[in-house]
């Protein structure tokens, strides 16, 4: 793969605030409070490395994480910084990290006291008479802005270095692909089944048994889909569809159009996916299959939400799908559709409503009907929302419960996703070591299961963590694999992000 | 040594410091009061103190938004009064006390400490007998630990020779430091002061009276105390829902008026909505409103404030960038200076692209202050141009999501940056030139 040569400019290209921060540090003398939001330790360290190279003055890195975690640290925050700074030359820039260790995500009494301290001891920080970079994750920066308003009001610059993560988390949504047994198998088992089916297909072709050929092709498509082998899945799927059409099996045709729509949506080909889903819908309508129509409309709504039509999607779900399923008394699918409603609301950034729906209409139903797998999926959605709301401790509670359910089910695929979510939370809370450990297991599972999207998404995080730990070669290998996976999946934006990570990694080595 | 106005981007960065109150003679100062539609605070209060003579001791409250220039104005007032021969003691409460947990007793003790130190520094000797009495009382009833009392015997011996002021200041200082450090002694000192409150208030009255008299003997016009920073105390409510500010400035207003001299306190903006404040502190508080950026005069003055710091045509590629900054500042000089700093990018001059980047980053930071549940309240404030007298709005004022202005009456509006973020309509931009 051709990578751009390592240059300092790659960071500036990826992060437009970099030259602004660099300029501020070149200009600043005396006290100057520079607030930096960053959600990646690796990115932060790379930014600091570049700053150190580019500014003609020393840069002192002060990590207060451990000392702020201690129950009784004795020294006030400004004294801690002053002590750490004592030996530094007067022109040195101070970079302070780890403040979030004093700020828990649920804004408890300890956080409140720490914010008060920051606010009141700001004079001590000012008296150091040096440019001061405060690095914080987004949730902690919000707390600082609101809870230490006098310190915040002194800021001379605000910068942001963000590696986008949230949309990746959403993408890892098990509901889309949970409707079939193949997904629960190991890669080896899936390949074994494929081999058997190929052999059976050959036999069926020889026997001229069209129906069996069709059903075998349908199953092969599902298996290939579970392996994220999209081309093969499409090829088998289309072959099955052709045969269903020859057989004039409308129900089979509707199912295959729905399957193909699902595959195309995973490839980001929303328009084509919509066409197939609409065909499936019209077939079901013509058959007068009310239940099938409702479920097909539900899938259609999710596709529409993905193409930016959240309002239309919500209207369909609320007015055309839910009333039918409620009337039919299909409790399980009502809950499933509510779960889709939550997803559509998330697309529209209506996070609180999505959370309320999951807690009121989805989780209690799955608990009631003892559908452990669907419950685990819904718990993952709730955890994701809580993660977005920075209610990290609560999110972790859901994920632990989810993990317990999944371990009982023996579903390694869902387990990988759960572990990955847990690792993200550990990262947000600054527990890098724990995160690295968990993500290593999740990544190994993703490889074993053969989910390309998991290899891409989890690999991206794992690569960054390896880079942070100074394991450059290993990091590069994982990131390149992630890049390749994103490209194969047609996720160009995410691929570009990983590519930037690799550039930056190369540049600092 | 920086010279103003700055001619380069680098010097412009240094000239526009948002965390710095200007010293009284700083060349960057611009009288923004015409743009605020308010009289100049330092001139008004200085005049009131001067004309009050010895008939009345002025007790004034000063309020305004964070960064509205209260400290700059107080330092100018101090200078003006000193020029008129007043002895002014400026008390930075933030440096002396724990603003997370403050009582009126702490404030009075801090005043005693600061006054003792200032008198000592100026070489003013007070009545030896009074000092001896205060020392004995303080050592005997208030300080209970042996190490805190250390030195008082020497002080007593020295008092006969009229040399005990430095030691008294030291003892007061020790108690103030105990209170600030939140040691176990804090509660005990407060409890002792409270138990012997009448004695404490009487001594404080005598101490300030004696100081005033000795200062006059030395040719000074009078004693003025400025207590700055109290408005920065952390907002708290007790179990009855009464805020600590209410407790301090309304319940204990009489105690805060104990010092027998002119005295000025800064108070939080939210407190002036309380009807009881007027009862406790008759006479008007002094409010420093924001500069009105929807009026040519206000914009012109803010531009002047920029031009005192920065040679606009040399540093900015386009004056439009400054105009945009003025609009977005909502009349808060601190925000205007911050925007300029944030625009000091990598180029030779501040280009339009630097201005846009600064605005983008400024808006992003402002967004972090807005809570979901406050959005509708902010929309209502923008619509009605006033702030309801309700607790939920105190934090919005405190965090400067709402600005207050003055015409013939006070009115309010949502910070322009917040308006932009909420998709509310901004007034059509005016040009200053």
């Amino acid at each position: 793969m051709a990578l751009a040569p390592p240059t300092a400019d790659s960071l500036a290209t990826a992060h437009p605030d970099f030259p602004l921060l660099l300029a501020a540090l070149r200009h600043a003398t005396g006290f100057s409070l520079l607030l930096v939001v960053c959600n990646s330790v690796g990115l932060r360290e790379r930014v600091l490395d570049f700053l150190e190279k580019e500014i003609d003055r020393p840069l002192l890195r002060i990590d207060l994480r451990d000392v702020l975690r201690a129950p009784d640290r004795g020294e006030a925050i400004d004294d801690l910084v002053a002590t750490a700074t004592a030996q530094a030359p007067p022109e040195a820039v101070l970079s302070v990290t780890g403040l979030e260790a004093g700020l828990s995500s649920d804004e408890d009494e300890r956080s409140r006291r720490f914010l008060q301290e920051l606010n009141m001891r700001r004079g001590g920080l000012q008296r150091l008479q040096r440019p001061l970079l405060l690095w914080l994750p987004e949730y902690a920066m919000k707390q600082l802005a609101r809870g230490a308003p006098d310190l915040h009001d002194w800021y001379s610059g605000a910068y942001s270095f963000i590696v986008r993560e949230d949309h990746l988390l959403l993408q890892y949504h098990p509901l889309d692909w949970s409707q079939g047994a193949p997904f629960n198998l190991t890669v080896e088992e899936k390949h074994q089944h494929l081999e058997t089916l190929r052999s059976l297909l050959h036999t069926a072709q020889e026997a001229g048994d069209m129906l069996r050929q069709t059903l075998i092709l349908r199953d092969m498509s599902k298996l290939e889909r579970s392996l994220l082998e999209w081309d093969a899945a499409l090829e088998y799927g289309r072959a099955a569809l052709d045969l269903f059409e020859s057989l004039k099996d409308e129900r089979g045709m509707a199912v295959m159009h729905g399957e193909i729509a699902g595959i195309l949506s995973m490839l980001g080909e929303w328009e084509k996916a919509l066409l197939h889903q609409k065909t499936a819908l019209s077939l079901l309508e013509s058959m007068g299959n009310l239940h099938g129509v409702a479920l097909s409309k539900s899938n259609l709504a999710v596709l529409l939400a993905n193409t930016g039509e959240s309002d239309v999607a919500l209207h369909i779900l609320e007015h055309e799908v839910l009333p039918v399923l409620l009337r039919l008394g299909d409790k399980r699918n009502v809950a499933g559709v509510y779960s889709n409603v939550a997803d559509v609301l998330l697309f529209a950034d209506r996070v609180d409503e999505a959370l309320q729906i999951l807690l009121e209409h989805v989780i209690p139903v799955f608990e009631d009907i003892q559908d452990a797998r669907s419950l685990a999926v819904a718990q993952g959605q709730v955890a994701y929302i809580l993660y977005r709301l920075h209610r990290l401790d609560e999110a972790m509670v859901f994920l632990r419960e989810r993990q317990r359910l999944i371990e009982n089910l023996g579903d390694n695929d869902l387990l990988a996703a759960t572990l990955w979510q847990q690792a993200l939370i550990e990262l947000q809370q600054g527990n890098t070591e724990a995160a690295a450990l968990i993500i290593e297991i999740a990544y190994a599972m993703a490889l074993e299961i053969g989910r390309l999207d998991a290899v891409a998404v989890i690999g991206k995080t794992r690569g960054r963590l390896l880079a942070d730990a100074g394991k450059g070669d290993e990091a590069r290998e994982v990131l390149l694999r992630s890049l390749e996976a994103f490209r194969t999946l047609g996720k160009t934006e995410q691929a570009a992000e990983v590519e930037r990570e690799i550039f930056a990694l190369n540049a600092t080595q | 040594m920086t010279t103003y106005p700055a001619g380069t981007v680098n010097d412009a960065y240094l000239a526009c410091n948002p965390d710095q109150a200007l010293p009284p003679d700083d060349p960057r100062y611009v009288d923004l009061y015409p743009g605020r539609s308010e009289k100049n605070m330092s001139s008004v209060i200085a005049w009131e103190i001067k004309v009050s003579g010895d008939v009345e001791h002025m007790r004034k409250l000063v309020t305004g938004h964070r960064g509205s220039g209260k400290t700059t104005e107080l330092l100018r007032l101090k200078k003006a009064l000193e020029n008129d021969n007043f002895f002014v003691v400026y008390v930075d409460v933030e440096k002396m006390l724990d603003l997370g947990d403050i009582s009126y007793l702490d404030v009075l003790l801090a005043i005693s400490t600061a006054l003792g130190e200032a008198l000592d520094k100026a070489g003013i000797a007070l009545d030896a007998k009074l000092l001896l009495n205060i020392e004995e009382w303080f050592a005997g009833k208030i300080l209970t630990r042996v190490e805190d009392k250390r030195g008082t015997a020497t002080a007593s011996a020295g008092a006969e020779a009229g040399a005990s002021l430095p030691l008294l200041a030291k003892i007061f200082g020790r108690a103030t430091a105990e209170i600030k450090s939140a040691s176990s002694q804090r509660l005990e000192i407060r409890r002792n002061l409270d138990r012997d409150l009448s004695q404490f208030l009487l001594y404080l009255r005598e101490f300030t009276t004696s100081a005033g008299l000795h200062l006059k003997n030395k040719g000074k016009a009078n004693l003025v105390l400025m207590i700055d920073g109290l408005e920065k105390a952390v907002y708290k409510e007790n179990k009855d829902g009464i805020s600590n500010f209410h407790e301090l400035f309304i319940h204990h207003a009489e105690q805060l008026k104990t010092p027998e001299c002119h005295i000025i306190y800064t108070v939080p903006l939210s407190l002036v909505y309380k009807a009881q404040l007027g009862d406790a502190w008759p006479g008007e508080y002094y409010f420093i409103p924001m500069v009105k950026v929807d009026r040519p005069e206000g914009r012109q003055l803010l531009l002047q404030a920029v031009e005192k710091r920065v040679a606009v045509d040399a540093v900015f590629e386009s004056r439009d960038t400054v105009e945009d900054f003025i609009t977005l500042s909502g009349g808060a000089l601190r925000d205007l200076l911050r925007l300029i700093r944030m625009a000091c990018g990598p180029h030779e001059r501040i280009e339009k692209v630097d201005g846009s980047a600064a605005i983008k980053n400024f808006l992003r930071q402002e967004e972090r202050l807005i809570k979901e549940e406050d959005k509708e309240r902010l929309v209502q404030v923008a619509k009605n141009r006033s702030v309801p007298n309700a607790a939920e709005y105190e934090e919005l004022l405190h965090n400067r999501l709402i600005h207050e202005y003055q015409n013939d009456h006070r009115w309010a509006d949502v910070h322009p940056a917040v308006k932009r973020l909420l998709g509310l309509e901004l007034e059509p931009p005016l040009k200053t030139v």
Side-chain angles (χ1 to χ4, degrees), chain A residues 16-17 19-20 23-24 26-29 31-32 34-35 37 112 116 119-122 126-127 138 141-142 145-146 149-150 152-160 352, chain B residues 9-10 13-14 17-19 66-67 94-95 98-100 180 232 234 236 334 338 341-342 344-346 357 360-362 364-365 368-372 395 398-400:
Chain A
D17 279 3
L20 302 176
R26 283 179 173 151
H27 297 314
T29 57
F31 178 72
S32 190
L34 304 169
L35 302 175
V37 168
R112 201 181 60 77
Q116 280 179 16
N119 203 42
M120 286 184 278
R121 304 292 299 196
R122 69 188 190 285
Q126 189 189 39
R127 281 191 288 278
E138 178 66 38
M141 187 61 81
K142 277 185 181 163
R146 294 168 188 168
D150 295 291
H152 177 256
D153 208 37
W154 278 0
Y155 81 89
S156 285
Y159 310 91
S160 192
D352 293 330
Chain B
V9 172
N10 194 58
Y13 185 94
L14 300 177
N17 191 342
D19 65 78
R66 178 181 295 112
E94 195 173 2
K95 283 186 185 156
D98 174 6
L99 289 179
K180 180 173 180 158
K232 290 168 190 159
V234 178
K236 281 182 188 170
R334 185 173 284 181
R338 189 188 336 271
R341 262 206 164 179
M342 289 166 85
C344 290
K360 191 189 92 188
N361 282 350
F362 180 70
R364 194 166 52 195
Q365 197 62 19
R368 296 188 170 111
L369 288 166
I370 306 171
K371 290 182 185 167
E372 194 58 37
E395 194 183 5
H398 191 62
N399 284 341
R400 260 196 330 100

Side-chain angles (χ1 to χ4, degrees), chain A residues 306-326:
Chain A
N306 271 291
T307 56
E309 303 270 357
S310 296
D311 288 346
V312 182
L314 267 183
H315 183 86
I316 291 173
L317 291 172
E318 286 173 356
H319 298 282
E320 297 178 39
V321 178
L322 279 172
V324 176
L325 293 177
L326 284 166

Side-chain angles (χ1 to χ4, degrees), chain A residues 8-26:
Chain A
D9 289 342
S10 62
L11 192 65
T13 311
H15 299 282
D17 279 3
F18 177 72
L20 302 176
L21 176 57
L22 179 61
L25 288 180
R26 283 179 173 151

Side-chain angles (χ1 to χ4, degrees), chain A residues 105-118:
Chain A
S105 56
D106 52 0
E107 303 189 28
D108 58 5
E109 176 61 21
R110 182 170 156 267
S111 303
R112 201 181 60 77
R113 278 206 307 274
F114 183 53
L115 288 167
Q116 280 179 16
E117 182 189 350
L118 279 169

